[in-house]
Amino acid sequence: MSWKDIYKSKITTAAEAVKHVKSGDRVVFGHACGEPKELVDALVKNHEQYKNVEIVHMVAMGKGEYTKPEMAPHFRHNAIFVGGCTRNAIAEGRGDYTPVFFHEVPKLFKKGLLPIDVAMVQVSKPDDHGYCSLGVSCDYTKAAVETAKWVIAEVNDQMPTLYGETFVHVSELDDIIETSNPIIELNPPKIGDVEKAIGENCASLVEDGSTLQLGIGAIPDAVLLFLKDKKDLGIHSEMFSDGVLDLFEAGVITNNKKALHKGKMIVTFLMGTKRLYDFVDKNPVVEMHPVDYVNDPVVIMKNSKMVSINSCIQVDFMGQVVSDCIGTTQFSGVGGQVDFVRGASMAEDGKSIIAMPATAAKGKVSRITPFIDHGSAVTTSRNDVDYIVTEYGVAELKGKSLQQRARNLINIAHPDFRDYLVEEFEKRFKSKF
Ligand code: COA
């Protein structure tokens, strides 16, 4: 049978396709902006037919209706990252969080630690050979397609085609529904004065010829604003957003000095606006690979001058970084933070930066604290951490003793909290600040 015949034989409707989900199944959705909207809607609509279906998902950018209280008998969310639309479900016990480094998620599927019954994904239209690109989300979505017992795909003619190791053949899909929907967008964040000051401090650590990993949000985007005078930067990042395009178009990001994948931007998923999705469509400068490649610290370290920039919730005097909890509340997830902190530190002339505003909760709380909050988990250990940056400066921690670390951190804390922190320092270390 030709691939076109195979393709036609699998076409069905979303309502029919979701009937393949059975009570007790584990279902994985395509990640982040790659979430298959029509399939998820159909699954939720069909909820009465299911009991206790486990939904495994990371950054949830859709409506998250399967987490609503009235859905509790039908769906249970197993989050590998907690986000805006899933946070209440976890806090209220209708779901749970599985701690795992992003680069190890495919291993959970492949080794049967988290076996998948049904994968629901979104792909681009097939090419002339019957291969569909996973579009804006390759990450663990590829491993989900490869290991699930049943694969349902939305073939969306608006999904960009990405190059790299991100293709699935139509013969790997079990059900196909054809759609034409705009891809979920992430609008550029608001960048205030605090973020700008943090961005400027981070940018001071970035040398010409560096390869960058940038997280999501206002701080990474603010860093980009201060890189306009740099030369020959490159990208090897779990994701990037619209901010990178301005630097690419200005000739600052050339990828020409990269030690690995010279001339290419390497990513595992993308979140941005239509401008970004149009830019990456069939663009040989951008390559998408699975997360067990892109985020593997052993791969990341092959880049020279690798700089990772991520954010956090709290840092204690010893340099323990809390990025995914606020006390006992599971606020987000580890994502790729530790993957890149380690990969960057291991790379030749690499640097890992954790950047955060000095305060939280509208200035009421210092993020630099003597101790982490009761119930919080450490995301990046004190042994791994390299630089901490706030709007007040840069604290270098690698190679520093406990007292030196605490001093460097207090020096970049918000001035309103410095007296208190100095007092705590002197109590703890029995030593003058
Ligand atoms: N104590 C109390 N509340 C705190 C707090 C603290 N120490 N730190 C943050 N908060 C509150 C903030 O005040 C804010 O609430 P508000 O909006 O009501 O004021 C909320 O928590 C979110 O904090 P904020 O720092 O604005 O979050 P963010 O959207 O910038 O995300 C992280 C920051 C750390 C949560 C996010 O970067 C993350 O999840 N990182 C881990 C994963 C990662 O690094 N992945 C790799 C790159 S994708």
Side-chain angles (χ1 to χ4, degrees):
M1 235 198 314
S2 77
W3 73 260
K4 287 186 184 160
D5 292 331
I6 297 174
Y7 180 88
K8 275 188 213 136
S9 72
K10 294 180 175 187
I11 294 176
T12 182
T13 60
E16 280 303 311
V18 297
K19 288 185 184 164
H20 280 108
V21 176
K22 302 276 174 281
S23 291
D25 274 358
R26 177 174 292 122
V27 178
V28 172
F29 294 161
H31 181 224
C33 297
E35 183 172 322
K37 290 184 287 191
E38 292 198 18
L39 286 172
V40 174
D41 283 350
L43 188 77
V44 170
K45 200 167 170 198
N46 205 32
H47 63 272
E48 291 291 356
Q49 303 308 312
Y50 316 122
K51 263 195 206 129
N52 208 22
V53 166
E54 182 180 302
I55 308 284
V56 175
H57 202 192
M58 200 164 157
V59 176
M61 294 291 291
K63 293 180 274 189
E65 286 174 334
Y66 51 91
T67 65
K68 284 185 173 170
E70 61 272 25
M71 292 289 160
H74 312 291
F75 302 115
R76 184 168 173 79
H77 182 39
N78 182 355
I80 31 188
F81 192 94
V82 180
C85 72
T86 56
R87 202 166 282 135
N88 283 348
I90 311 296
E92 291 162 13
R94 293 191 304 284
D96 203 352
Y97 167 73
T98 299
V100 56
F101 298 127
F102 196 3
H103 85 275
E104 289 192 331
V105 176
K107 199 157 65 177
L108 298 186
F109 301 158
K110 289 177 186 172
K111 297 229 162 187
L113 291 163
L114 210 61
I116 307 170
D117 295 297
V118 180
M120 293 186 172
V121 301
Q122 202 181 173
V123 298
S124 66
K125 281 176 76 173
D127 65 10
D128 291 345
H129 308 282
Y131 286 92
C132 304
S133 155
L134 285 165
V136 297
S137 266
C138 177
D139 43 65
Y140 61 74
T141 309
K142 189 151 198 302
V145 170
E146 286 163 359
T147 61
K149 290 186 198 138
W150 194 262
V151 181
I152 311 176
E154 268 189 52
V155 176
N156 183 352
D157 64 5
Q158 297 189 39
M159 177 61 91
T161 294
L162 270 291
Y163 294 136
E165 200 195 328
T166 184
F167 290 95
V168 293
H169 194 257
V170 293
S171 57
E172 292 176 79
L173 311 173
D174 295 300
D175 279 331
I176 290 171
I177 68 157
E178 292 184 312
T179 58
S180 182
N181 290 314
I183 305 304
I184 297 173
E185 296 192 28
L186 175 76
N187 290 319
K190 280 205 182 109
I191 302 175
D193 291 342
V194 169
E195 288 81 10
K196 281 188 188 154
I198 297 169
E200 196 166 5
N201 288 335
C202 291
S204 71
L205 295 169
V206 177
E207 294 167 40
D208 291 345
S210 294
T211 295
L212 306 178
Q213 174 258 333
L214 301 152
I216 310 165
I219 292 176
D221 278 20
V223 177
L224 293 167
L225 295 178
F226 294 92
L227 296 176
K228 291 187 176 129
D229 296 327
K230 308 280 178 187
K231 292 190 182 63
D232 283 322
L233 300 179
I235 298 288
H236 182 114
S237 189
E238 68 185 43
M239 57 85 63
F240 65 80
S241 205
D242 290 44
V244 159
L245 302 189
D246 297 332
L247 284 187
F248 180 80
E249 281 160 10
V252 176
I253 293 176
T254 63
N255 302 293
N256 283 341
K257 291 277 157 66
K258 287 181 76 180
L260 184 70
H261 296 291
K262 191 170 173 220
K264 309 269 183 198
M265 298 198 236
I266 302 297
V267 276
T268 196
F269 73 103
L270 291 159
M271 296 208 290
T273 66
K274 189 165 183 305
R275 179 184 171 214
L276 176 73
Y277 302 150
D278 288 344
F279 171 81
V280 298
D281 187 34
K282 299 194 186 85
N283 186 341
V285 163
V286 183
E287 270 191 24
M288 192 75 118
H289 291 266
V291 71
D292 41 351
Y293 176 78
V294 175
N295 279 36
D296 182 345
V298 173
V299 172
I300 297 165
M301 69 173 274
K302 292 181 186 161
N303 290 289
S304 56
K305 290 192 186 171
M306 181 75 215
V307 180
S308 71
I309 305 173
N310 292 294
S311 193
C312 75
I313 300 271
Q314 196 171 53
V315 182
D316 76 2
F317 277 175
M318 298 189 288
Q320 302 196 94
V321 178
V322 174
S323 306
D324 57 294
C325 303
I326 302 178
T328 52
T329 301
Q330 186 61 49
F331 187 77
S332 61
V334 56
Q337 178 166 124
V338 177
D339 299 341
F340 276 93
V341 164
R342 292 195 171 146
S345 312
M346 284 151 59
E348 197 181 331
D349 298 323
K351 291 172 190 164
S352 78
I353 301 171
I354 302 285
M356 60 174 188
T359 61
K362 304 195 173 42
K364 288 200 261 346
V365 176
S366 171
R367 296 198 193 220
I368 294 173
T369 52
F371 304 100
I372 63 172
D373 284 355
H374 176 73
S376 283
V378 171
T379 310
T380 295
S381 93
R382 61 183 186 171
N383 309 299
D384 283 316
V385 76
D386 211 348
Y387 294 93
I388 303 287
V389 172
T390 69
E391 63 273 37
Y392 296 100
V394 177
E396 193 174 356
L397 301 196
K398 194 136 275 171
K400 306 292 181 215
S401 70
L402 293 182
Q403 290 191 28
Q404 286 170 330
R405 284 164 179 249
R407 282 197 185 93
N408 291 356
L409 287 166
I410 292 169
N411 285 334
I412 61 158
H414 192 287
D416 288 354
F417 293 92
R418 285 191 202 167
D419 288 348
Y420 156 73
L421 293 170
V422 167
E423 215 175 283
E424 288 293 316
F425 175 98
E426 294 184 346
K427 257 199 272 173
R428 173 170 183 164
F429 295 111
K430 317 278 182 281
S431 178
K432 269 282 180 226
F433 181 72

